[in-house]
Amino acid sequence: MTPRAIQQNRTTTAPAALSCAALVGAGLLLTGLVGCQNDSGGQRPTSKPRTSSAPHGYVEGAEETSEQQSRLVLADAGTGAVGVLDLISEDITPLKRIDGIRGLRADGRFAYLRAGDATYAVDSGTWTVDHGDHVHYYRAGIRQLGPIGGPDAAHIHSDPAVTAVSSAQGDTELFDRKKLENGTVPRGRALGGAGDGADTGAVVPYEEHLLVASAGAERETVEVRSRDGAVVASMDKPCAEARGEAVTRRGVVFGCADGALLVSEDKGTFTAVKIPYGRAVSAGGRAVDFRHRAGSTTLAATSGDEAVWVLDVTDRTWTRMETGPVVAANTAGEGAPLLVLGEDGALTAYDIATKKRVARTQLLPKGAASAVIEVDTSRAYVNDATAEKVYEIDYNDGLRLARTFPLDFAPTHMVETGR
């Protein structure tokens, strides 16, 4: 696999990283962050003492860079081909084929391919450490690891210490994150400690704890547990039929039957805030698959087949966008447009505040049902399995096509890493 990126108009540029000294005192909205350490999971790290021999931000085996090192992990459901596209160098690294690929997820650094017999981990070799008052960008070699769970891994979330893999049946295994970073898949440890044998839903590592959404309607809550599974607290706000979750700067969002539950932490205390839809919503119209730019507090999720929900976590409001038949949606948030890929193959940008269409471009053939939209701070990426291409879109410039990446396999599945 040796695709050549075709440059169209301007190329993408990642935002330059600011040094620790330059960013101290910037006052971004993250708390409890001190020091600089490796955080390959894309969530906030825990401070650790540094030795005097290692320079600030040093990570063994990785190169620290001045800009974000975005990569796309791509997979072909038909042939099992897997590749990692470097958006800086425009090179692609082919990996070993995996038969029966049915899904692909990412946690900032690692991608997880759900296949017919197992879920496989890929180290994309790029990640961002965000300490709030400064950031670090890293790149390292790309590695294909072994299976990290069964074929029905419905939820995968990570922090600097642990990766939680939850099956569709409601059981969860915890994996040592550092061992994954070192290139091996450790033996998983089953999550226990509920005390009544009940299965769990999604498990999200957060602030040195585990947030556990109950799988059964009779419990309808989110629990805070220690790393060993012991229940520390139960949120006092219910979350019936919990489905869908996302980690933001404001906390962890869980999709509920009547809206969302936002769980956050302050000085060791976990609290929950309910964000209701404010209207009756059918089961098919719920937001259950949240998409957003890493670090953003604006989430997008399809609502049935012909609308999109936008959740503003900061303002704690829902906006329903009547878009027509929709395949995929995403937004960079904070003033950026909502991007919607329709069943007709057109990519449309909407002003979220006014709900008006501001740009539209015909991008894919009609009926391209497997496409997704990945978004970072300046560009969006859309996979075209039929044409065996990935498109880079400047969503701040009228959906201008910035680059096209031709491939020699169909990118049925796509995730972005390095964020």
Side-chain angles (χ1 to χ4, degrees):
M1 305 175 203
T2 56
R4 176 177 54 87
I6 299 176
Q7 187 69 36
Q8 300 191 11
N9 300 325
R10 300 189 300 271
T11 60
T12 184
T13 56
L18 300 180
S19 67
C20 295
L23 279 172
V24 170
L28 299 181
L29 295 176
L30 283 177
T31 60
L33 302 179
V34 292
C36 295
Q37 67 178 47
N38 179 13
D39 176 17
S40 57
Q43 298 183 28
R44 296 185 287 175
T46 303
S47 173
K48 290 184 179 180
R50 294 182 286 110
T51 62
S52 59
S53 60
H56 179 70
Y58 171 78
V59 175
E60 185 177 359
E63 172 191 0
E64 186 170 6
T65 68
S66 61
E67 60 182 6
Q68 183 171 300
Q69 302 294 299
S70 296
R71 290 172 178 169
L72 298 176
V73 180
L74 307 161
D76 187 334
T79 67
V82 180
V84 181
L85 173 62
D86 190 312
L87 295 171
I88 303 297
S89 69
E90 302 181 352
D91 295 329
I92 190 166
T93 300
L95 301 178
K96 181 180 178 182
R97 292 177 181 268
I98 299 176
D99 293 332
I101 297 173
R102 295 182 290 115
L104 180 59
R105 295 179 178 271
D107 64 8
R109 173 174 176 173
F110 290 85
Y112 305 93
L113 296 109
R114 189 160 55 97
D117 60 343
T119 297
Y120 296 86
V122 170
D123 184 353
S124 73
T126 179
W127 66 96
T128 296
V129 179
D130 185 349
H131 290 314
D133 61 351
H134 65 280
V135 294
H136 295 277
Y137 303 108
Y138 295 99
R139 64 183 293 127
I142 298 167
R143 293 183 292 196
Q144 189 167 18
L145 307 181
I148 193 171
D152 60 348
H155 312 271
I156 302 178
H157 295 280
S158 303
D159 72 358
V162 65
T163 292
V165 180
S166 305
S167 75
Q169 287 69 43
D171 49 21
T172 297
E173 284 190 294
L174 305 177
F175 296 86
D176 187 319
R177 179 73 173 191
K178 294 303 179 183
K179 291 183 179 179
L180 279 175
E181 294 171 0
N182 290 333
T184 62
V185 177
R187 182 182 297 275
R189 174 173 58 87
L191 174 65
D196 56 6
D199 289 335
T200 65
V203 175
V204 182
Y206 178 67
E207 295 297 343
E208 302 183 12
H209 290 75
L210 303 172
L211 300 184
V212 181
S214 60
E218 70 280 0
R219 296 178 53 160
E220 297 187 348
T221 187
V222 173
E223 296 176 338
V224 181
R225 301 194 194 180
S226 63
R227 295 294 196 199
D228 61 8
V231 178
V232 174
S234 292
M235 297 296 93
D236 58 358
K237 302 292 192 301
C239 184
E241 302 172 19
R243 290 177 60 199
E245 62 284 336
V247 181
T248 76
R249 287 179 179 270
R250 299 286 184 176
V252 180
V253 173
F254 293 91
C256 312
D258 55 354
L261 188 72
L262 173 64
V263 180
S264 58
E265 182 271 349
D266 183 29
K267 298 179 181 178
T269 299
F270 291 81
T271 58
V273 175
K274 200 64 178 287
I275 309 176
Y277 286 123
R279 64 172 79 177
V281 176
S282 66
R286 287 179 50 188
V288 297
D289 186 13
F290 295 105
R291 303 282 177 166
H292 70 304
R293 174 181 60 81
S296 170
T297 57
T298 304
L299 312 180
T302 56
S303 175
D305 296 327
E306 298 197 358
V308 174
W309 283 112
V310 178
L311 172 59
D312 188 320
V313 177
T314 301
D315 292 342
R316 299 173 184 174
T317 58
W318 291 94
T319 301
R320 193 171 190 267
M321 310 287 285
E322 303 291 342
T323 61
V326 57
V327 172
N330 209 334
T331 180
E334 301 168 6
L338 170 68
L339 302 179
V340 176
L341 182 67
E343 288 184 355
D344 58 357
L347 182 66
T348 304
Y350 293 89
D351 183 295
I352 297 174
T354 65
K355 298 186 178 181
K356 293 182 178 180
R357 187 175 76 184
V358 295
R360 182 180 176 88
T361 183
Q362 191 65 39
L363 194 63
L364 272 61
K366 184 177 181 179
S370 64
V372 298
I373 303 172
E374 289 288 317
V375 178
D376 58 30
T377 55
S378 62
R379 297 290 190 266
Y381 299 91
V382 180
N383 54 320
D384 185 345
T386 301
E388 298 188 346
K389 295 177 181 178
V390 171
Y391 304 113
E392 179 184 77
I393 305 297
D394 185 347
Y395 55 78
N396 290 315
D397 190 13
L399 301 181
R400 177 180 60 84
L401 180 62
R403 288 188 292 180
T404 297
F405 299 96
L407 308 169
D408 61 4
F409 64 98
T412 315
H413 304 284
M414 178 181 75
V415 292
E416 184 176 2
T417 62
R419 303 180 297 180

